[in-house]
Amino acid sequence: MDILNTISLESNSCFKMNFNGGNLSSDAGLLMLYDFMRVMGFEDIISKTFATPRKDLFRKHSDSSMLLQFLYQIFAAYFTDDCADHLRKDPLFTRLVDKDVLASQPTLSRFWNRMDDSTLGQFLSILKKMRKAVYSVSMPREVILDLDSTLLTAYGQQEGRRFNFHYQDSGYHPLLCYDGHTHDLIQIQLRTGNVFSSDGTVDFLQPVLNEYRTEYKNIRLKLRGDSGFAIPAIYDQAEDNDLSYAIRLKQNAALVRLAAGADEQLYEMTREDQISYAVIYGEFEYKAATWRQPRRVCFKIEKPAGQMTHLYTFIVTNMVSIPRCVVQFYCDRGRMENFIKESKNDFDFSAVSSSSFTVNENRLLAHALAYNIFNWFRRLVLPAKMKHLEADTLRLMIIKIAARVRYSARYYIFECARSCAWKQEIDQIFWSIRHLNPQLE
């Protein structure tokens, strides 16, 4: 024992602590993600698809191995490149990427700076190929394309950093599309901070529609968006692609006037009771000056408990469900905020610190790739009682597990604590991984 490196507790001198425990790693749960990625063919997809354009003669670490290293760091919440210096000789991380030492922080920084528009296309191609492998295991019957945007705050002189009036802050304003059923991040695009929510949405959405109409013809597609996406071009695109949609309209005098009959009915319903909550649904046909045709608008008028004022919700849609179901379908998109919160907090989507817009866009796609892999892992192989847990909770439960690493002539053995609280669940996860049967190309 190295006495100089031993710490005695102030409250109990019989308790001592040091860092001489041997060849240990604190992230043994990454072995499950490693097994999952290899069984699903994700590592092969990355190695065959991803390469930065500049080929240095004396590069020690390949592009694919550095991308894999970065993904494992994100899985274990080592978000900054500086963490690579502390993990360089970690006995688990080095085995995961089959290296004696990991790439250092300067090497990772050069890795990001080599990226350009060609690597953006590679990331999108990787996401499509991985999605195809996942769908070969579990094909959804329906995909809800939930559109939204958020602010990624930036503090330096980043290219494209602008002030956003809605968020009252400066940074980037990316466009996102999640699957409302599975939480998958279907598409993401970095944009300058001062663009409106719907800017570029048609071009952003069309490749997704083309992919699903070509590769997954039996999957029903639906589209949801808040009032920031209430523009005629999106309605036209949805109708031209035979896509059901429900998009909220901003309240205006014309819409309120068309709902006046239902408003009067609600007043009559609450005449004798001005305290309790009350609601009424309805619909009408409406055509704004910029629309190419009249469209169905479903609405909800509600009187909150303890208030006398009425609140209006207007949804433009081509769905045939009754108004109450259309409004409820739209309101279910509220979970989008949870998806975005998890993406930003648990997968560090806000890591846009490079001075180059293109580098930040590539980095955002790499973080999106990590988010999707973790979400597929959660959805396909975790026990039912764990599927609803957020990534940060799962890290504490099954990723942050200490293990001693032993080597033999043929094996690497990762010895975890006998008292691990989640042994049964971990056994079940490995069993589920063994029984995956993806259709690999």
Side-chain angles (χ1 to χ4, degrees):
M1 179 182 293
D2 189 344
I3 296 178
L4 293 178
N5 292 328
T6 299
I7 303 169
S8 297
L9 272 64
E10 187 68 24
S11 59
N12 189 340
S13 60
C14 294
F15 288 6
K16 299 182 183 295
M17 173 182 172
N18 62 39
F19 294 92
N20 299 317
N23 205 25
L24 300 173
S25 177
S26 60
D27 302 286
L30 288 176
L31 289 169
M32 289 178 283
L33 278 155
Y34 169 84
D35 201 25
F36 174 72
M37 289 179 66
R38 290 177 69 88
V39 169
M40 293 297 296
F42 293 167
E43 287 201 2
D44 285 341
I45 291 172
I46 290 172
S47 63
K48 293 176 181 178
T49 306
F50 187 80
T52 57
R54 201 174 73 206
K55 304 297 182 184
D56 297 333
L57 278 176
F58 302 105
R59 191 185 299 171
K60 184 176 180 180
H61 303 278
S62 68
D63 291 322
S64 59
S65 70
M66 281 190 284
L67 179 56
L68 286 171
Q69 173 186 328
F70 176 76
L71 292 175
Y72 285 120
Q73 286 185 210
I74 296 298
F75 296 150
Y78 299 115
F79 294 135
T80 65
D81 292 350
D82 291 341
C83 293
D85 288 338
H86 302 291
L87 297 168
R88 289 201 74 193
K89 294 186 178 181
D90 183 279
L92 173 65
F93 273 86
T94 52
R95 291 306 94 212
L96 294 177
V97 296
D98 196 22
K99 293 282 185 180
D100 293 331
V101 293
L102 300 184
S104 63
Q105 177 271 317
T107 304
L108 281 178
S109 296
R110 289 192 294 270
F111 169 66
W112 294 117
N113 290 330
R114 289 198 298 270
M115 295 189 186
D116 58 10
D117 290 340
S118 67
T119 50
L120 283 175
Q122 292 172 29
F123 276 122
L124 295 175
S125 177
I126 289 170
L127 281 170
K128 289 180 182 178
K129 291 177 180 179
M130 289 185 176
R131 183 156 51 234
K132 190 172 184 179
V134 170
Y135 283 0
S136 72
V137 174
S138 177
M139 180 72 73
R141 295 181 179 181
E142 179 181 270
V143 169
I144 300 176
L145 303 175
D146 273 329
L147 288 173
D148 211 339
S149 61
T150 188
L151 183 78
L152 302 181
T153 306
Y155 301 96
Q157 300 299 318
Q158 290 93 334
E159 180 185 2
R161 175 180 177 267
R162 299 288 187 274
F163 181 78
N164 187 285
F165 182 80
H166 175 76
Y167 292 98
Q168 289 293 297
D169 205 347
S170 295
Y172 293 107
H173 190 199
L175 188 58
L176 308 103
C177 178
Y178 290 86
D179 178 2
H181 286 307
T182 64
H183 307 186
D184 292 353
L185 180 54
I186 304 295
Q187 185 84 305
I188 185 169
Q189 179 183 330
L190 192 65
R191 304 181 297 181
T192 57
N194 58 350
V195 299
F196 190 66
S197 294
S198 61
D199 286 2
T201 302
V202 171
D203 292 336
F204 168 83
L205 197 56
Q206 193 58 51
V208 176
L209 300 180
N210 293 341
E211 177 189 351
Y212 276 86
R213 292 308 183 202
T214 302
E215 300 287 342
Y216 315 110
K217 296 179 181 179
N218 294 326
I219 297 179
R220 296 189 303 270
L221 291 181
K222 295 181 179 178
L223 176 69
R224 289 192 298 216
D226 62 20
S227 58
F229 300 93
I231 60 172
I234 294 180
Y235 314 149
D236 296 343
Q237 181 184 35
E239 291 162 356
D240 292 342
N241 286 273
D242 193 25
L243 178 65
S244 299
Y245 65 88
I247 298 176
R248 184 167 186 170
L249 294 173
K250 293 181 179 178
Q251 180 179 326
N252 60 49
L255 296 174
V256 172
R257 185 172 61 254
L258 288 169
D263 200 27
E264 288 294 330
Q265 186 178 349
L266 184 61
Y267 274 117
E268 291 299 323
M269 290 167 53
T270 58
R271 183 183 297 276
E272 302 298 328
D273 182 0
Q274 295 289 323
I275 302 299
S276 302
Y277 174 84
V279 63
I280 192 169
Y281 297 90
E283 64 177 287
F284 53 78
E285 195 173 76
Y286 175 68
K287 182 183 184 302
T290 56
W291 295 6
R292 68 183 182 185
Q293 64 191 36
R295 293 185 168 96
R296 183 190 187 203
V297 175
C298 297
F299 64 85
K300 176 177 74 170
I301 308 175
E302 56 186 330
K303 187 194 78 62
Q307 297 185 29
M308 298 183 66
T309 57
H310 291 182
L311 303 179
Y312 301 83
T313 301
F314 296 100
I315 310 294
V316 60
T317 184
N318 62 350
M319 300 172 67
V320 297
S321 304
I322 62 175
R324 182 177 61 83
C325 292
V326 172
V327 174
Q328 184 59 54
F329 170 75
Y330 168 79
C331 291
D332 286 344
R333 73 173 297 279
R335 295 186 302 161
M336 270 284 288
E337 297 302 324
N338 294 331
F339 305 162
I340 294 174
K341 180 181 177 182
E342 183 179 46
S343 300
K344 294 169 73 173
N345 294 345
D346 297 346
F347 293 90
D348 199 30
F349 276 26
S350 296
V352 285
S353 57
S354 174
S355 59
S356 166
F357 182 88
T358 302
V359 170
N360 285 329
E361 192 170 11
N362 275 277
R363 184 153 192 151
L364 180 61
L365 284 175
H367 284 260
L369 180 60
Y371 168 89
N372 269 336
I373 292 173
F374 198 96
N375 190 55
W376 292 326
F377 170 75
R378 173 170 50 193
R379 179 153 59 89
L380 295 181
V381 301
L382 289 194
K385 66 180 181 181
M386 287 183 168
K387 290 182 185 295
H388 69 283
L389 299 178
E390 292 189 358
D392 209 33
T393 303
L394 291 171
R395 283 193 184 106
L396 293 175
M397 292 172 64
I398 60 173
I399 301 298
K400 295 296 181 179
I401 299 174
R404 175 179 285 109
V405 184
R406 289 199 300 109
Y407 306 93
S408 68
R410 297 178 57 189
Y411 301 107
Y412 294 93
I413 304 171
F414 300 87
E415 298 177 333
C416 302
R418 292 179 182 176
S419 60
C420 178
W422 308 103
K423 287 188 291 186
Q424 183 177 350
E425 287 77 9
I426 291 171
D427 286 342
Q428 186 176 343
I429 291 169
F430 278 116
W431 183 91
S432 298
I433 293 173
R434 283 195 300 271
H435 288 80
L436 290 172
N437 187 28
Q439 303 301 310
L440 306 178
E441 295 182 355

